[in-house]
Amino acid sequence: MELDLIGKHVLISGGSRGIGRALALAFAHAGARVLACHRDPSPQADRLAAELKEAPGEHLLVQADVTDPTQVDRLLGQARERFGGLDVVVHNAGVISHVPFAELEPEEWHRILDTSLTAAYLLVRGALPLLGPGASVIAVGSRAARAGIPLRAHYTAAKAGLEGLTRSLAKELGPRGIRVNVIAPGVIDSDDTKALPAERRAELTARYSAMTALGRLGRPDEIAGAALFLASGLSSYLTGQTICVDGGI
Ligand code: NDP
């Protein structure tokens, strides 16, 4: 058994920076053909597009807001036209905010739920006609869904919702040979932490590192490693699971 993702068609949401960037590059360098989307134009998206051009194979980075059903349809239309079908769907797009529950307005609740959870429903339901036996669906959840975190009730509710969605879909789609799993990252040293002032970053890094068995934050490529495994035949008997990639919290 081997990884063997060569020529596989992979759709990744939220592929402009952070974990999504690592996912897109890891799949491209593993020989897959990647269609990734992000919401807004940014220098990070331009940089990733250039990096994907340098990678072997043909890849595409497009703008598509996965909370918008019309844009999801257009994105899946691009997958159909370019690839004819999909072998892997990774719903990675997610947004977070820190709000006391009493001040959590419906608009913000919906923004977070729409991006993490409703978009997963839109993407996976829309992708179903493109997925055949052997396909793998991966949702990027969060270790926070199990731990619970103050000021992030909306975020943890959305990520916990992804786990329920995944378990049900695994049972419903299993007979078609489609596997569905969640990767639940712990604290990853990605763009958000890097953007913090040095002192605050050091304080948070120390605090979160101390919570892990490995004594450090994770890297985006370590989430990508789990995604490659879940996408490949190496995990062919693994479905309906949440894989915590959290350094041992
Ligand atoms: P970033 O904020 O760095 O990147 C988020 C990505 O999602 C960007 O590419 C962004 O695109 C895209 N995105 C956001 N909203 C939409 C949308 N409506 N439509 C399409 N794309 C969208 O996130 P991270 O890399 O830190 O996190 C990636 C995933 O991992 C998220 O689901 C997050 O919840 C989860 N996670 C992250 C952890 C961490 O420590 N970083 C820990 C646990 C879970 P654009 O650039 O256009 O905004």
Side-chain angles (χ1 to χ4, degrees):
M1 279 180 126
E2 51 190 42
L3 197 60
D4 198 14
L5 292 169
I6 294 167
K8 299 281 185 196
H9 298 137
V10 182
L11 175 66
I12 301 169
S13 72
S16 58
R17 51 200 163 86
I19 292 169
R21 173 175 177 278
L23 288 168
L25 290 173
F27 275 105
H29 285 286
R33 291 178 68 189
V34 173
L35 168 60
C37 81
H38 59 100
R39 188 189 42 199
D40 300 316
S42 65
Q44 292 101 318
D46 293 343
R47 181 175 148 220
L48 177 61
E51 286 171 313
L52 286 173
K53 273 211 175 85
E54 296 300 311
E58 193 199 334
H59 315 286
L60 196 61
L61 182 62
V62 299
Q63 254 182 277
D65 181 342
V66 290
T67 65
D68 177 345
T70 309
Q71 295 191 40
V72 170
D73 282 351
R74 200 186 318 138
L75 176 68
L76 292 166
Q78 285 170 308
R80 191 167 40 245
E81 276 163 34
R82 287 274 178 152
F83 297 158
L86 285 169
D87 301 291
V88 182
V89 175
V90 188
H91 176 48
N92 164 72
V95 282
I96 192 167
S97 62
H98 309 87
V99 188
F101 191 61
E103 292 163 27
L104 185 56
E105 297 296 339
E107 210 172 272
E108 185 58 3
W109 170 268
H110 286 296
R111 186 177 78 90
I112 304 293
L113 270 283
D114 285 355
T115 311
S116 270
L117 186 54
T118 308
Y121 146 72
L122 291 173
L123 268 179
V124 180
R125 192 191 60 153
L128 279 181
L130 302 177
L131 298 172
S136 172
V137 174
I138 302 164
V140 180
S142 172
R143 184 63 177 71
R146 289 183 182 186
I149 309 191
L151 312 183
R152 283 172 240 182
H154 48 341
Y155 178 78
T156 48
K159 296 300 195 184
L162 274 181
E163 297 197 26
L165 177 70
T166 290
R167 280 196 288 272
S168 292
L169 283 184
K171 299 230 162 101
E172 191 166 333
L173 303 181
R176 291 173 52 176
I178 301 171
R179 297 182 297 109
V180 191
N181 291 289
V182 172
I183 295 173
V187 183
I188 305 303
D189 194 15
S190 58
D191 295 9
D192 277 358
T193 38
K194 284 183 184 137
L196 293 170
E199 208 173 304
R200 176 88 179 122
R201 184 180 176 202
E203 180 207 321
L204 283 181
T205 301
R207 186 183 341 142
Y208 288 124
S209 297
M211 290 164 55
T212 70
L214 295 178
R216 63 173 177 84
L217 304 191
R219 300 187 310 269
D221 64 281
E222 292 177 311
I223 304 305
L228 294 186
F229 167 67
L230 286 177
S232 79
L234 292 178
S235 60
S236 54
Y237 200 50
L238 203 164
T239 193
Q241 301 303 310
T242 297
I243 309 290
C244 294
V245 184
D246 63 3
I249 290 180

